Amino acid sequence: GENVEQHPSTLSVQEGDSAVIKCTYSDSASNYFPWYKQELGKGPQLIIDIRSNVGEKKDQRIAVTLNKTAKHFSLHITETQPEDSAVYFCAAFNDYKLSFGAGTTVTVRA
Amino acid sequence: NAGVTQTPKFRVLKTGQSMTLLCAQDMNHEYMYWYRQDPGMGLRLIHYSVGEGTTAKGEVPDGYNVSRLKKQNFLLGLESAAPSQTSVYFCASSYKAGQFEQFFGPGTRLTVL
């Protein structure tokens, strides 16, 4: 089955700096890669996604890149703000299910 | 719209007890999912449903059963709870499988003593 690895597990950044989270996947058949943000005590919420036929996608301060050859994808958050503090999960869709990474706890320091 | 709701929010069980977690969605989604979230392990799929009256096993189905009698509801049952089932359980729904957003509920925190 699909195996998604996510790094780092924790990330502390100064407000205004950028944050980068990286994920790798194992199955080349995976074709959809969403990123979810989970705030304390809440369920995960989709923030951005990318399909296998696209290399990069941007939405305001958030961008995602995909390298199919290397089987890795990354989340970039620019100009971080305190409300960006949360746990972020990457995922890969293959066959019938999403396989999630273990999560990255992002803390934005004021 | 309420989106995806889960009942209860918290529960403490003793080993061997049974319980049912209820998930409801008001988005007319065909697909529904149950995940468990454990520290350092992300979310793992327990069971899922592709429509009313259908269910299928996910990645970690042992010890759980599910039912989808109505399109808007998806029930997760634990017949004989074990401490290894202590976790946070999330329900999600989506319009279809694949490249469609999954909408998650707020979660149920279950502790089995």
Side-chain angles (χ1 to χ4, degrees):
Chain A
E2 176 63 275
N3 180 42
V4 178
E5 294 191 356
Q6 182 172 348
H7 299 280
S9 57
T10 61
L11 181 60
S12 179
V13 297
Q14 190 71 34
E15 182 177 356
D17 287 350
S18 295
V20 180
I21 303 170
K22 298 182 179 182
C23 290
T24 60
Y25 61 100
S26 60
D27 194 330
S28 57
S30 292
N31 58 11
Y32 172 63
F33 306 91
W35 286 87
Y36 284 83
K37 175 184 180 182
Q38 184 177 26
E39 297 177 344
L40 195 61
K42 296 185 178 180
Q45 185 172 9
L46 181 73
I47 55 172
I48 195 167
D49 57 13
I50 191 166
R51 289 160 175 74
S52 58
N53 59 347
V54 176
E56 185 174 356
K57 183 177 179 180
K58 188 174 182 180
D59 183 4
Q60 298 183 0
R61 297 186 297 108
I62 295 174
V64 59
T65 59
L66 171 66
N67 183 325
K68 287 175 57 181
T69 303
K71 292 202 282 260
H72 67 71
F73 56 115
S74 300
L75 178 71
H76 304 252
I77 306 174
T78 58
E79 301 174 13
T80 53
Q81 300 171 4
E83 54 264 35
D84 294 329
S85 293
V87 180
Y88 292 81
F89 292 97
C90 62
F93 181 83
N94 183 316
D95 194 8
Y96 66 91
K97 71 180 182 75
L98 279 177
S99 296
F100 286 83
T104 298
T105 301
V106 174
T107 303
V108 179
R109 306 187 308 273
Chain B
N1 290 348
V4 179
T5 58
Q6 292 183 232
T7 309
K9 288 184 169 52
F10 303 93
R11 186 71 185 269
V12 178
L13 290 178
K14 293 181 179 179
T15 296
Q17 288 185 320
S18 63
M19 78 163 295
T20 300
L21 283 67
L22 172 63
C23 175
Q25 53 95 4
D26 62 2
M27 295 174 283
N28 202 34
H29 284 167
E30 290 293 335
Y31 285 69
M32 297 188 74
Y33 315 83
W34 275 108
Y35 293 91
R36 60 178 289 172
Q37 183 178 34
D38 301 294
M41 299 186 73
L43 292 98
R44 292 180 292 168
L45 183 65
I46 304 171
H47 286 281
Y48 66 102
S49 168
V50 303
E52 181 178 317
T54 71
T55 63
K57 294 180 179 180
E59 187 181 354
V60 288
D62 294 344
Y64 306 95
N65 57 75
V66 288
S67 64
R68 183 108 180 260
L69 298 180
K70 293 183 179 181
K71 185 177 183 179
Q72 63 268 33
N73 296 336
F74 195 27
L75 278 65
L76 178 70
L78 287 74
E79 291 188 347
S80 180
S84 60
Q85 294 178 304
T86 294
S87 188
V88 181
Y89 292 86
F90 287 99
C91 176
S93 71
S94 65
Y95 174 59
K96 288 184 179 180
Q99 301 179 12
F100 291 88
E101 179 179 358
Q102 290 191 16
F103 293 83
F104 284 82
T108 295
R109 182 173 294 276
L110 175 65
T111 301
V112 182
L113 303 176

Short mmCIF file of all heavy atoms in Angstrom, two decimals, chain A residues 2 31-32 36 38 41-46 49 51-53 87 89 93 95-103, chain B residues 33 35 37-45 48 57-59 90 97-107:
data_model
loop_
_atom_site.label_atom_id
_atom_site.label_comp_id
_atom_site.label_asym_id
_atom_site.label_seq_id
_atom_site.Cartn_x
_atom_site.Cartn_y
_atom_site.Cartn_z
N GLU A 2 0.18 2.37 -0.12
CA GLU A 2 0.86 3.66 -0.14
C GLU A 2 1.44 3.99 1.23
O GLU A 2 0.82 3.73 2.27
CB GLU A 2 -0.15 4.74 -0.58
CG GLU A 2 0.39 6.17 -0.57
CD GLU A 2 1.53 6.39 -1.53
OE1 GLU A 2 2.68 6.09 -1.15
OE2 GLU A 2 1.27 6.84 -2.66
N ASN A 31 -2.41 9.94 -7.39
CA ASN A 31 -2.65 10.99 -8.38
C ASN A 31 -3.27 12.26 -7.82
O ASN A 31 -3.63 13.18 -8.58
CB ASN A 31 -3.54 10.45 -9.50
CG ASN A 31 -4.87 9.93 -8.99
OD1 ASN A 31 -5.22 10.13 -7.83
ND2 ASN A 31 -5.60 9.26 -9.86
N TYR A 32 -3.43 12.32 -6.51
CA TYR A 32 -4.06 13.50 -5.90
C TYR A 32 -3.44 13.70 -4.54
O TYR A 32 -3.33 12.75 -3.75
CB TYR A 32 -5.57 13.26 -5.79
CG TYR A 32 -6.33 14.32 -5.03
CD1 TYR A 32 -6.38 15.64 -5.47
CD2 TYR A 32 -7.03 13.99 -3.88
CE1 TYR A 32 -7.10 16.60 -4.77
CE2 TYR A 32 -7.74 14.94 -3.18
CZ TYR A 32 -7.78 16.24 -3.62
OH TYR A 32 -8.48 17.18 -2.94
N TYR A 36 -4.04 19.23 4.58
CA TYR A 36 -5.06 19.57 5.56
C TYR A 36 -4.42 20.30 6.74
O TYR A 36 -3.30 19.99 7.15
CB TYR A 36 -5.77 18.31 6.07
CG TYR A 36 -6.76 17.73 5.10
CD1 TYR A 36 -6.35 16.88 4.07
CD2 TYR A 36 -8.12 18.05 5.20
CE1 TYR A 36 -7.27 16.37 3.17
CE2 TYR A 36 -9.04 17.53 4.30
CZ TYR A 36 -8.60 16.68 3.30
OH TYR A 36 -9.51 16.18 2.40
N GLN A 38 -5.14 21.27 10.76
CA GLN A 38 -5.96 20.90 11.90
C GLN A 38 -5.64 21.81 13.08
O GLN A 38 -4.53 21.78 13.63
CB GLN A 38 -5.74 19.44 12.31
CG GLN A 38 -6.65 18.98 13.43
CD GLN A 38 -6.47 17.51 13.78
OE1 GLN A 38 -5.40 16.94 13.56
NE2 GLN A 38 -7.50 16.89 14.32
N GLY A 41 -8.40 20.85 18.77
CA GLY A 41 -9.77 20.47 19.11
C GLY A 41 -10.73 20.43 17.94
O GLY A 41 -11.94 20.27 18.13
N LYS A 42 -10.21 20.53 16.71
CA LYS A 42 -11.08 20.52 15.54
C LYS A 42 -10.67 19.42 14.57
O LYS A 42 -9.61 18.81 14.69
CB LYS A 42 -11.01 21.88 14.83
CG LYS A 42 -11.54 23.03 15.67
CD LYS A 42 -11.54 24.32 14.87
CE LYS A 42 -12.11 25.48 15.68
NZ LYS A 42 -12.13 26.75 14.90
N GLY A 43 -11.51 19.19 13.60
CA GLY A 43 -11.19 18.24 12.56
C GLY A 43 -10.30 18.87 11.49
O GLY A 43 -10.26 20.10 11.36
N PRO A 44 -9.59 18.07 10.71
CA PRO A 44 -8.76 18.60 9.63
C PRO A 44 -9.60 19.33 8.58
O PRO A 44 -10.75 18.96 8.34
CB PRO A 44 -8.11 17.34 9.03
CG PRO A 44 -8.20 16.30 10.10
CD PRO A 44 -9.47 16.60 10.83
N GLN A 45 -9.00 20.35 7.98
CA GLN A 45 -9.69 21.11 6.95
C GLN A 45 -8.76 21.29 5.77
O GLN A 45 -7.59 21.65 5.94
CB GLN A 45 -10.12 22.48 7.51
CG GLN A 45 -10.94 23.30 6.54
CD GLN A 45 -11.51 24.55 7.18
OE1 GLN A 45 -11.16 24.92 8.29
NE2 GLN A 45 -12.42 25.21 6.48
N LEU A 46 -9.28 21.04 4.58
CA LEU A 46 -8.47 21.17 3.37
C LEU A 46 -8.04 22.61 3.16
O LEU A 46 -8.85 23.54 3.25
CB LEU A 46 -9.28 20.70 2.16
CG LEU A 46 -8.56 20.75 0.81
CD1 LEU A 46 -7.53 19.64 0.73
CD2 LEU A 46 -9.55 20.65 -0.34
N ASP A 49 -4.76 21.67 -2.58
CA ASP A 49 -4.50 20.34 -3.13
C ASP A 49 -3.86 20.47 -4.50
O ASP A 49 -3.88 21.54 -5.11
CB ASP A 49 -5.79 19.51 -3.20
CG ASP A 49 -6.89 20.18 -4.02
OD1 ASP A 49 -6.61 21.15 -4.74
OD2 ASP A 49 -8.05 19.73 -3.90
N ARG A 51 -3.06 18.07 -8.21
CA ARG A 51 -3.26 16.85 -8.96
C ARG A 51 -1.99 16.46 -9.69
O ARG A 51 -1.11 17.29 -9.91
CB ARG A 51 -4.44 17.02 -9.92
CG ARG A 51 -5.76 17.07 -9.17
CD ARG A 51 -6.89 17.68 -9.93
NE ARG A 51 -8.16 17.60 -9.22
CZ ARG A 51 -8.51 18.33 -8.16
NH1 ARG A 51 -7.67 19.22 -7.69
NH2 ARG A 51 -9.68 18.16 -7.57
N SER A 52 -1.91 15.22 -10.09
CA SER A 52 -0.65 14.68 -10.60
C SER A 52 -0.24 15.28 -11.93
O SER A 52 0.91 15.13 -12.35
CB SER A 52 -0.73 13.16 -10.72
OG SER A 52 -1.79 12.78 -11.58
N ASN A 53 -1.13 15.97 -12.61
CA ASN A 53 -0.78 16.56 -13.90
C ASN A 53 -0.33 18.02 -13.78
O ASN A 53 -0.16 18.72 -14.78
CB ASN A 53 -1.95 16.46 -14.88
CG ASN A 53 -3.20 17.16 -14.36
OD1 ASN A 53 -3.28 17.51 -13.19
ND2 ASN A 53 -4.16 17.37 -15.24
N VAL A 87 -1.55 21.97 13.21
CA VAL A 87 -0.93 20.75 12.71
C VAL A 87 -1.32 20.61 11.24
O VAL A 87 -2.49 20.76 10.88
CB VAL A 87 -1.39 19.51 13.49
CG1 VAL A 87 -0.72 18.26 12.93
CG2 VAL A 87 -1.06 19.66 14.98
N PHE A 89 -1.22 18.22 7.73
CA PHE A 89 -1.09 16.85 7.23
C PHE A 89 -1.04 16.87 5.71
O PHE A 89 -1.85 17.52 5.06
CB PHE A 89 -2.29 16.00 7.65
CG PHE A 89 -2.38 15.72 9.12
CD1 PHE A 89 -3.19 16.49 9.93
CD2 PHE A 89 -1.67 14.68 9.68
CE1 PHE A 89 -3.29 16.24 11.28
CE2 PHE A 89 -1.76 14.41 11.04
CZ PHE A 89 -2.56 15.20 11.84
N PHE A 93 -3.69 10.23 -2.58
CA PHE A 93 -4.84 9.40 -2.92
C PHE A 93 -4.41 8.32 -3.91
O PHE A 93 -3.81 8.60 -4.95
CB PHE A 93 -5.98 10.21 -3.51
CG PHE A 93 -7.17 9.35 -3.84
CD1 PHE A 93 -8.09 9.03 -2.84
CD2 PHE A 93 -7.37 8.82 -5.10
CE1 PHE A 93 -9.18 8.22 -3.11
CE2 PHE A 93 -8.45 8.01 -5.39
CZ PHE A 93 -9.35 7.71 -4.39
N ASP A 95 -6.00 4.39 -5.37
CA ASP A 95 -7.02 3.34 -5.33
C ASP A 95 -8.30 3.89 -4.71
O ASP A 95 -9.03 4.59 -5.36
CB ASP A 95 -6.47 2.13 -4.57
CG ASP A 95 -7.34 0.89 -4.78
OD1 ASP A 95 -8.25 0.94 -5.62
OD2 ASP A 95 -7.12 -0.12 -4.09
N TYR A 96 -8.58 3.57 -3.48
CA TYR A 96 -9.84 4.01 -2.89
C TYR A 96 -9.66 4.94 -1.70
O TYR A 96 -10.63 5.41 -1.14
CB TYR A 96 -10.63 2.79 -2.42
CG TYR A 96 -9.97 2.03 -1.28
CD1 TYR A 96 -10.27 2.34 0.05
CD2 TYR A 96 -9.04 1.04 -1.52
CE1 TYR A 96 -9.66 1.68 1.10
CE2 TYR A 96 -8.42 0.37 -0.48
CZ TYR A 96 -8.74 0.69 0.83
OH TYR A 96 -8.13 0.03 1.85
N LYS A 97 -8.43 5.19 -1.29
CA LYS A 97 -8.28 5.91 -0.04
C LYS A 97 -7.16 6.94 -0.04
O LYS A 97 -6.24 6.90 -0.86
CB LYS A 97 -8.04 4.91 1.10
CG LYS A 97 -6.68 4.24 1.07
CD LYS A 97 -6.56 3.27 2.24
CE LYS A 97 -5.20 2.61 2.29
NZ LYS A 97 -4.16 3.51 2.77
N LEU A 98 -7.30 7.86 0.93
CA LEU A 98 -6.22 8.80 1.23
C LEU A 98 -5.29 8.18 2.26
O LEU A 98 -5.76 7.63 3.26
CB LEU A 98 -6.79 10.10 1.81
CG LEU A 98 -7.37 11.14 0.87
CD1 LEU A 98 -7.95 12.29 1.68
CD2 LEU A 98 -6.32 11.65 -0.10
N SER A 99 -3.99 8.28 2.03
CA SER A 99 -2.98 7.89 3.01
C SER A 99 -2.35 9.17 3.53
O SER A 99 -1.89 10.00 2.74
CB SER A 99 -1.92 6.99 2.39
OG SER A 99 -2.48 5.77 1.94
N PHE A 100 -2.35 9.33 4.85
CA PHE A 100 -1.89 10.57 5.46
C PHE A 100 -0.47 10.44 6.01
O PHE A 100 -0.06 9.37 6.48
CB PHE A 100 -2.81 10.96 6.62
CG PHE A 100 -4.14 11.49 6.19
CD1 PHE A 100 -5.19 10.63 5.87
CD2 PHE A 100 -4.36 12.85 6.10
CE1 PHE A 100 -6.42 11.12 5.47
CE2 PHE A 100 -5.59 13.36 5.70
CZ PHE A 100 -6.62 12.49 5.38
N GLY A 101 0.24 11.56 5.97
CA GLY A 101 1.50 11.66 6.69
C GLY A 101 1.21 11.79 8.18
O GLY A 101 0.07 11.95 8.60
N ALA A 102 2.28 11.75 8.98
CA ALA A 102 2.12 11.74 10.44
C ALA A 102 1.82 13.13 11.00
O ALA A 102 1.44 13.26 12.17
CB ALA A 102 3.36 11.18 11.10
N GLY A 103 1.99 14.17 10.20
CA GLY A 103 1.66 15.52 10.65
C GLY A 103 2.86 16.35 11.04
O GLY A 103 3.89 15.81 11.48
N TYR B 33 -16.57 8.25 5.61
CA TYR B 33 -15.37 7.57 6.10
C TYR B 33 -15.28 7.68 7.62
O TYR B 33 -15.71 8.67 8.21
CB TYR B 33 -14.12 8.24 5.52
CG TYR B 33 -14.16 8.55 4.05
CD1 TYR B 33 -14.77 9.72 3.59
CD2 TYR B 33 -13.58 7.70 3.11
CE1 TYR B 33 -14.81 10.02 2.23
CE2 TYR B 33 -13.62 8.00 1.75
CZ TYR B 33 -14.23 9.16 1.33
OH TYR B 33 -14.27 9.45 -0.02
N TYR B 35 -12.11 7.54 10.41
CA TYR B 35 -10.68 7.50 10.65
C TYR B 35 -10.43 7.48 12.16
O TYR B 35 -11.23 7.96 12.95
CB TYR B 35 -10.00 8.75 10.11
CG TYR B 35 -9.99 8.92 8.62
CD1 TYR B 35 -11.01 9.60 7.97
CD2 TYR B 35 -8.93 8.43 7.85
CE1 TYR B 35 -10.99 9.78 6.59
CE2 TYR B 35 -8.89 8.61 6.47
CZ TYR B 35 -9.93 9.28 5.86
OH TYR B 35 -9.89 9.46 4.50
N GLN B 37 -7.22 8.81 14.79
CA GLN B 37 -6.01 9.62 14.82
C GLN B 37 -5.26 9.34 16.11
O GLN B 37 -5.79 9.54 17.21
CB GLN B 37 -6.35 11.12 14.74
CG GLN B 37 -5.11 12.00 14.69
CD GLN B 37 -5.46 13.48 14.54
OE1 GLN B 37 -6.45 13.96 15.06
NE2 GLN B 37 -4.64 14.20 13.80
N ASP B 38 -4.05 8.88 15.95
CA ASP B 38 -3.19 8.57 17.09
C ASP B 38 -1.92 9.40 16.98
O ASP B 38 -1.46 9.70 15.87
CB ASP B 38 -2.85 7.08 17.12
CG ASP B 38 -4.10 6.22 17.21
OD1 ASP B 38 -4.78 6.30 18.25
OD2 ASP B 38 -4.42 5.51 16.24
N PRO B 39 -1.33 9.77 18.11
CA PRO B 39 -0.12 10.62 18.08
C PRO B 39 0.97 10.04 17.20
O PRO B 39 1.31 8.85 17.32
CB PRO B 39 0.29 10.66 19.55
CG PRO B 39 -0.97 10.41 20.31
CD PRO B 39 -1.76 9.45 19.47
N GLY B 40 1.52 10.87 16.33
CA GLY B 40 2.63 10.44 15.48
C GLY B 40 2.27 9.50 14.35
O GLY B 40 3.16 8.98 13.66
N MET B 41 0.95 9.28 14.14
CA MET B 41 0.56 8.31 13.10
C MET B 41 -0.42 8.89 12.09
O MET B 41 -0.95 8.16 11.26
CB MET B 41 -0.04 7.07 13.75
CG MET B 41 0.92 6.35 14.67
SD MET B 41 0.27 4.81 15.29
CE MET B 41 0.38 3.81 13.82
N GLY B 42 -0.70 10.15 12.16
CA GLY B 42 -1.63 10.72 11.21
C GLY B 42 -3.02 10.15 11.37
O GLY B 42 -3.42 9.72 12.46
N LEU B 43 -3.77 10.10 10.28
CA LEU B 43 -5.11 9.54 10.29
C LEU B 43 -5.10 8.22 9.52
O LEU B 43 -4.54 8.14 8.43
CB LEU B 43 -6.11 10.50 9.63
CG LEU B 43 -6.38 11.79 10.40
CD1 LEU B 43 -5.56 12.94 9.84
CD2 LEU B 43 -7.86 12.15 10.33
N ARG B 44 -5.75 7.23 10.07
CA ARG B 44 -5.83 5.93 9.42
C ARG B 44 -7.28 5.55 9.19
O ARG B 44 -8.12 5.68 10.09
CB ARG B 44 -5.12 4.87 10.26
CG ARG B 44 -3.61 5.06 10.34
CD ARG B 44 -2.96 3.98 11.17
NE ARG B 44 -3.33 4.08 12.59
CZ ARG B 44 -3.10 3.14 13.49
NH1 ARG B 44 -2.53 2.00 13.14
NH2 ARG B 44 -3.45 3.33 14.75
N LEU B 45 -7.57 5.06 8.00
CA LEU B 45 -8.93 4.75 7.60
C LEU B 45 -9.39 3.43 8.23
O LEU B 45 -8.74 2.39 8.07
CB LEU B 45 -9.01 4.66 6.07
CG LEU B 45 -10.39 4.41 5.47
CD1 LEU B 45 -11.31 5.60 5.75
CD2 LEU B 45 -10.27 4.17 3.97
N TYR B 48 -15.18 2.60 5.32
CA TYR B 48 -15.76 3.64 4.51
C TYR B 48 -17.02 3.12 3.82
O TYR B 48 -17.28 1.91 3.82
CB TYR B 48 -14.75 4.20 3.50
CG TYR B 48 -14.33 3.23 2.43
CD1 TYR B 48 -14.85 3.31 1.14
CD2 TYR B 48 -13.37 2.25 2.68
CE1 TYR B 48 -14.44 2.42 0.14
CE2 TYR B 48 -12.96 1.36 1.71
CZ TYR B 48 -13.49 1.46 0.44
OH TYR B 48 -13.09 0.58 -0.54
N LYS B 57 -14.08 -2.28 4.20
CA LYS B 57 -12.99 -2.17 5.16
C LYS B 57 -11.91 -1.23 4.65
O LYS B 57 -11.60 -1.18 3.47
CB LYS B 57 -12.38 -3.56 5.40
CG LYS B 57 -13.32 -4.53 6.09
CD LYS B 57 -12.65 -5.88 6.30
CE LYS B 57 -13.59 -6.84 7.00
NZ LYS B 57 -12.96 -8.16 7.22
N GLY B 58 -11.34 -0.51 5.61
CA GLY B 58 -10.21 0.35 5.30
C GLY B 58 -8.91 -0.29 5.74
O GLY B 58 -8.72 -1.51 5.67
N GLU B 59 -8.04 0.53 6.26
CA GLU B 59 -6.69 0.11 6.62
C GLU B 59 -6.63 -0.63 7.96
O GLU B 59 -5.86 -1.58 8.12
CB GLU B 59 -5.83 1.37 6.69
CG GLU B 59 -4.36 1.19 6.89
CD GLU B 59 -3.66 2.55 6.97
OE1 GLU B 59 -4.31 3.59 6.75
OE2 GLU B 59 -2.45 2.55 7.27
N PHE B 90 -12.48 10.43 13.80
CA PHE B 90 -13.02 11.44 12.90
C PHE B 90 -13.85 10.78 11.81
O PHE B 90 -13.46 9.78 11.23
CB PHE B 90 -11.90 12.24 12.24
CG PHE B 90 -11.21 13.20 13.17
CD1 PHE B 90 -10.01 12.85 13.76
CD2 PHE B 90 -11.78 14.43 13.45
CE1 PHE B 90 -9.37 13.72 14.63
CE2 PHE B 90 -11.16 15.31 14.32
CZ PHE B 90 -9.95 14.96 14.91
N ALA B 97 -15.29 9.69 -4.50
CA ALA B 97 -13.94 9.32 -4.10
C ALA B 97 -12.96 10.02 -5.03
O ALA B 97 -13.33 10.65 -6.00
CB ALA B 97 -13.76 7.81 -4.18
N GLY B 98 -11.68 9.88 -4.70
CA GLY B 98 -10.66 10.41 -5.57
C GLY B 98 -10.38 11.87 -5.32
O GLY B 98 -10.20 12.30 -4.19
N GLN B 99 -10.38 12.68 -6.37
CA GLN B 99 -9.92 14.06 -6.28
C GLN B 99 -11.02 15.00 -5.82
O GLN B 99 -11.29 16.02 -6.45
CB GLN B 99 -9.34 14.47 -7.62
CG GLN B 99 -8.18 13.57 -8.03
CD GLN B 99 -7.60 13.95 -9.38
OE1 GLN B 99 -7.90 14.99 -9.91
NE2 GLN B 99 -6.76 13.09 -9.92
N PHE B 100 -11.68 14.62 -4.75
CA PHE B 100 -12.72 15.44 -4.16
C PHE B 100 -12.42 15.66 -2.68
O PHE B 100 -12.01 14.74 -1.98
CB PHE B 100 -14.08 14.76 -4.30
CG PHE B 100 -14.58 14.69 -5.72
CD1 PHE B 100 -14.23 13.63 -6.53
CD2 PHE B 100 -15.35 15.72 -6.22
CE1 PHE B 100 -14.68 13.57 -7.84
CE2 PHE B 100 -15.81 15.67 -7.54
CZ PHE B 100 -15.46 14.59 -8.35
N GLU B 101 -12.66 16.87 -2.22
CA GLU B 101 -12.37 17.23 -0.85
C GLU B 101 -13.16 16.36 0.12
O GLU B 101 -14.35 16.11 -0.06
CB GLU B 101 -12.71 18.69 -0.60
CG GLU B 101 -12.47 19.16 0.83
CD GLU B 101 -12.80 20.63 1.03
OE1 GLU B 101 -13.17 21.29 0.04
OE2 GLU B 101 -12.67 21.11 2.17
N GLN B 102 -12.48 15.92 1.17
CA GLN B 102 -13.15 15.25 2.27
C GLN B 102 -13.39 16.29 3.36
O GLN B 102 -12.47 17.00 3.75
CB GLN B 102 -12.30 14.10 2.79
CG GLN B 102 -12.22 12.93 1.82
CD GLN B 102 -11.61 11.69 2.44
OE1 GLN B 102 -11.49 11.54 3.65
NE2 GLN B 102 -11.20 10.75 1.58
N PHE B 103 -14.62 16.33 3.83
CA PHE B 103 -15.01 17.26 4.89
C PHE B 103 -15.07 16.47 6.20
O PHE B 103 -15.76 15.46 6.28
CB PHE B 103 -16.38 17.87 4.59
CG PHE B 103 -16.38 18.77 3.40
CD1 PHE B 103 -16.50 18.26 2.12
CD2 PHE B 103 -16.26 20.16 3.56
CE1 PHE B 103 -16.49 19.10 1.02
CE2 PHE B 103 -16.27 21.00 2.47
CZ PHE B 103 -16.38 20.47 1.19
N PHE B 104 -14.35 16.97 7.19
CA PHE B 104 -14.22 16.24 8.46
C PHE B 104 -15.14 16.81 9.54
O PHE B 104 -15.39 18.02 9.59
CB PHE B 104 -12.78 16.31 8.96
CG PHE B 104 -11.85 15.39 8.23
CD1 PHE B 104 -11.31 15.75 7.01
CD2 PHE B 104 -11.53 14.14 8.76
CE1 PHE B 104 -10.46 14.90 6.33
CE2 PHE B 104 -10.67 13.29 8.09
CZ PHE B 104 -10.14 13.67 6.86
N GLY B 105 -15.59 15.92 10.42
CA GLY B 105 -16.30 16.34 11.62
C GLY B 105 -15.33 16.79 12.69
O GLY B 105 -14.11 16.73 12.50
N PRO B 106 -15.85 17.21 13.86
CA PRO B 106 -15.00 17.75 14.92
C PRO B 106 -14.30 16.68 15.76
O PRO B 106 -13.43 17.01 16.56
CB PRO B 106 -15.98 18.54 15.78
CG PRO B 106 -17.28 17.85 15.57
CD PRO B 106 -17.27 17.38 14.15
N GLY B 107 -14.66 15.42 15.59
CA GLY B 107 -13.97 14.34 16.30
C GLY B 107 -14.66 13.89 17.57
O GLY B 107 -15.43 14.64 18.19
#
